[in-house]
Amino acid sequence: MSSPHPAGPLPVPKTKRGERTRQNILDAAEREIGVKGFAEASIAAITAEADVAQGTFYLYFRSKEDVLRELVLRMGRKLRRHLSLAIVDATDRLDAERRGLHAFLAFVRDNPNLYRVVAESQFVDAAIHRRYYVDLAATYTASLAAAVSRNELSAGHAEVRAWALMGVADMVGRRFAIWDQQTPLHDIAEAAYDFIAHGMGPHRNG
Amino acid sequence: MSSPHPAGPLPVPKTKRGERTRQNILDAAEREIGVKGFAEASIAAITAEADVAQGTFYLYFRSKEDVLRELVLRMGRKLRRHLSLAIVDATDRLDAERRGLHAFLAFVRDNPNLYRVVAESQFVDAAIHRRYYVDLAATYTASLAAAVSRNELSAGHAEVRAWALMGVADMVGRRFAIWDQQTPLHDIAEAAYDFIAHGMGPHRNG
């Protein structure tokens, strides 16, 4: 089910109006794919939803696969920007992690298509899917290593920690922010924070 | 892309030979779907690979969707059995978690189709996909709560911890046991264990 490799970069809109149209198409595609899934989502439905002609679609994308790839990249950028803004006033790395967990869970509940789009991408373009995680992990690993050197965290394996933290956010987000649309997220984020800050071993100093 | 809801339970083989045939079909389906993906995997290819007639397939399954559902359930059972055996001699819950992480990463590397089969199932039968995680989490949550009452773990939110631990295993497994087929898993499992046991905050007693 893998599609052929993309044949070079996509055309970039030359005007602000063009960029708005391109973003409208992506927004419509995100809703279509999020609701129906990649196989059932059609370019006709996407352009109808975006209120543009089908020909307009092909100004910016070659295929539905192109759109999914771009959605994954856009989701990654949007998530990173959201998390960066959330931690801008953090006092140290642990505080940044705490703020990051709250912000991530809120983002997931506001963007219920995130998981579906990212998960489906692995069956359309495994490299893009992998890059989504690897890019997040690279930034994360560097931040954790720097924090250890500032004594804001205990010594530890920065890369394993980065993937472990992503896993905590991913799975707690799935359970409490997607499958469950009701539970207030504050206490969930605090409980997840307690886990990543202190672990769950008996406290060594009582 | 969701298929119709399954119409009642699947037929159960009446003989040991029949059960072996059914398992052979599931093994072949796991390889086919693991390599080609659900959309491209065909019943004809699965029966050819299992060396049975197409009619034999329909003694046990109604459709390819049935096979995927059964694969997810079988994967869940196989994983739980593997983890139960791995922790049978554990001295306490933390030791069980440590052994569990080693065992999980080894299982993932030996069963590279696990992630793909489970991930694809969400687009074929969302309820089965969710049940895979919910069943694991239910057992896990109960074990963690019991361990807190025995003072083997610090007090904490058992359900959030269960999902967090599943996330750690899932994401560390993806990175180090699937995408990376080379790195020895021992040190990775130990680093993940250190994270879940102690967290990454500066140690409070030095």
Side-chain angles (χ1 to χ4, degrees):
Chain A
M1 180 162 167
S2 286
S3 65
H5 210 66
L10 293 174
V12 176
K14 293 191 179 59
T15 62
K16 278 195 184 168
R17 185 192 164 97
E19 178 54 26
R20 268 199 306 276
T21 300
R22 187 172 163 283
Q23 293 297 333
N24 283 344
I25 294 170
L26 286 169
D27 290 342
E30 187 187 314
R31 287 191 296 271
E32 272 288 301
I33 295 172
V35 172
K36 295 185 190 164
F38 183 75
E40 299 292 318
S42 69
I43 292 174
I46 291 167
T47 51
E49 166 123 8
D51 202 16
V52 301
Q54 283 216 37
T56 307
F57 178 94
Y58 293 101
L59 293 178
Y60 306 113
F61 307 102
R62 287 168 303 233
S63 63
K64 202 168 60 161
E65 283 76 11
D66 270 352
V67 171
L68 185 63
R69 272 188 279 268
E70 189 53 35
L71 279 181
V72 172
L73 295 175
R74 193 175 75 149
M75 281 282 195
R77 285 193 299 267
K78 194 173 164 189
L79 174 59
R80 276 195 295 272
R81 195 162 52 234
H82 181 78
L83 294 177
S84 299
L85 286 172
I87 68 177
V88 77
D89 291 327
T91 53
D92 62 14
R93 187 69 222 173
L94 272 189
D95 187 41
E97 293 300 327
R98 183 180 215 149
R99 291 165 187 250
L101 279 164
H102 283 277
F104 178 79
L105 294 179
F107 183 88
V108 167
R109 200 168 265 171
D110 288 345
N111 293 271
N113 299 323
L114 168 70
Y115 280 50
R116 173 150 207 167
V117 164
V118 173
E120 281 223 299
S121 73
Q122 75 189 287
F123 306 115
V124 173
D125 187 333
I128 281 279
H129 176 254
R130 190 164 157 167
R131 183 174 149 195
Y132 171 84
Y133 290 103
V134 168
D135 283 358
L136 280 172
T139 316
Y140 218 157
T141 301
S143 300
L144 294 173
V148 169
S149 71
R150 292 191 307 267
N151 294 314
E152 293 178 10
L153 302 177
S154 63
H157 193 305
E159 195 183 2
V160 168
R161 281 178 169 177
W163 289 85
L165 289 164
M166 285 163 50
V168 170
D170 180 83
M171 207 61 91
V172 172
R174 181 184 308 226
R175 161 66 184 83
F176 293 98
I178 294 187
W179 291 343
D180 176 347
Q181 289 280 316
Q182 306 299 323
T183 301
L185 294 171
H186 181 270
D187 290 358
I188 303 302
E190 285 296 301
Y193 169 74
D194 184 63
F195 176 81
I196 68 165
H198 308 305
M200 56 183 198
H203 294 319
R204 279 167 289 179
N205 55 348
Chain B
M1 181 162 167
S2 288
S3 66
H5 210 66
L10 294 174
V12 176
K14 291 189 181 60
T15 63
K16 277 194 186 168
R17 187 192 162 96
E19 179 53 27
R20 268 198 306 276
T21 301
R22 187 172 163 283
Q23 293 297 332
N24 283 344
I25 294 170
L26 287 169
D27 291 342
E30 186 186 314
R31 287 190 296 271
E32 271 288 302
I33 295 172
V35 172
K36 295 184 190 165
F38 183 75
E40 298 292 318
S42 69
I43 292 174
I46 291 167
T47 51
E49 166 123 8
D51 202 15
V52 300
Q54 282 216 38
T56 307
F57 179 94
Y58 292 101
L59 294 178
Y60 306 113
F61 306 102
R62 286 169 304 234
S63 63
K64 202 168 60 161
E65 283 77 9
D66 271 352
V67 171
L68 185 63
R69 271 189 279 268
E70 188 53 35
L71 279 181
V72 172
L73 295 175
R74 193 175 75 149
M75 280 282 197
R77 286 193 299 268
K78 194 173 165 187
L79 175 58
R80 276 194 295 273
R81 195 162 51 234
H82 181 77
L83 294 177
S84 298
L85 286 172
I87 67 176
V88 76
D89 291 326
T91 54
D92 62 15
R93 187 69 221 173
L94 271 189
D95 187 41
E97 292 301 328
R98 183 181 215 149
R99 291 166 188 250
L101 279 165
H102 283 277
F104 179 80
L105 293 179
F107 183 89
V108 167
R109 200 169 266 173
D110 288 345
N111 294 270
N113 298 324
L114 168 70
Y115 281 50
R116 171 150 207 170
V117 164
V118 173
E120 281 222 299
S121 73
Q122 75 189 286
F123 307 115
V124 173
D125 186 334
I128 280 279
H129 177 254
R130 190 163 157 167
R131 184 175 148 194
Y132 171 85
Y133 291 104
V134 168
D135 283 358
L136 280 172
T139 316
Y140 218 159
T141 301
S143 300
L144 294 173
V148 169
S149 71
R150 292 191 308 268
N151 295 314
E152 294 178 11
L153 302 177
S154 63
H157 193 305
E159 195 183 2
V160 167
R161 280 178 169 178
W163 288 86
L165 288 163
M166 285 162 50
V168 169
D170 180 83
M171 207 63 91
V172 171
R174 182 183 308 224
R175 161 66 184 83
F176 293 99
I178 295 187
W179 290 343
D180 176 346
Q181 289 282 314
Q182 307 298 325
T183 301
L185 294 171
H186 181 271
D187 291 358
I188 302 301
E190 286 297 301
Y193 169 73
D194 185 63
F195 176 81
I196 67 166
H198 308 304
M200 56 183 198
H203 293 319
R204 279 167 289 182
N205 55 349

